[in-house]
Amino acid sequence: MSAPNTASPQQGASKVWLQTGPLAFGHPLRGADRVHEKVSEVPELQIPFPGVWEVSYHALHAVAVVSPHLYVHTALFINGVPLPGSEAQSGLAGVNATLRATAGQTLLQTFAAGDVVTLHAYRIGTGEAVIESGGDGRTGIMAHWVSAV
């Protein structure tokens, strides 16, 4: 098994994959509503060569609602810019409730060599919102090279 966040060539380019983790952390979302913050505990994933890549992520959201609602929104960014179509959301409408759920997306994307993929998140509402990763739920980013452009 290769080290986290490294390219692992396996018998040709079509078998190259990248992934973060396994990781163990808790990242409280403390920013303003609807303002993305980087989940710094998830390492950046750097694309080693250009082409079409299947990229996916999953993020364990934990929320404790104290207002009418609390949601966690996650998305991938490429070189600091949101990747449309990578958004995922979970949460609750109600008071004095808790939820833990894993949300994510999988999509095909054309990348240039050196592009950097990062995970970002924000909260909507009031309460405690955390992106977590551990033995009972994982957060990470994965990419698999599909073809040349």
Side-chain angles (χ1 to χ4, degrees), residues 86-118:
S86 70
E87 304 88 353
Q89 185 171 290
S90 69
L92 286 171
V95 179
N96 298 322
T98 60
L99 167 76
R100 294 185 74 219
T102 301
Q105 294 287 359
T106 299
L107 58 143
L108 294 174
Q109 177 68 31
T110 301
F111 289 99
D115 279 348
V116 175
V117 181
T118 52

Side-chain angles (χ1 to χ4, degrees), residues 20-37:
T20 61
L23 304 168
F25 68 87
H27 180 96
L29 298 174
R30 295 196 173 111
D33 277 11
R34 300 178 189 267
V35 176
H36 279 111
E37 61 185 80

Side-chain angles (χ1 to χ4, degrees), residues 60-71:
L60 176 58
H61 305 171
V63 298
V65 184
V66 297
S67 68
H69 67 271
L70 181 61
Y71 303 98

Side-chain angles (χ1 to χ4, degrees), residues 3-6 17-23 41-46 56-58 117 138-143:
N5 198 24
T6 59
W17 57 271
L18 311 166
Q19 83 177 45
T20 61
L23 304 168
E41 296 84 356
V42 177
E44 297 177 337
L45 198 76
Q46 186 169 18
S56 65
Y57 76 95
H58 45 271
V117 181
R138 296 285 182 201
T139 294
I141 306 170
M142 292 74 50

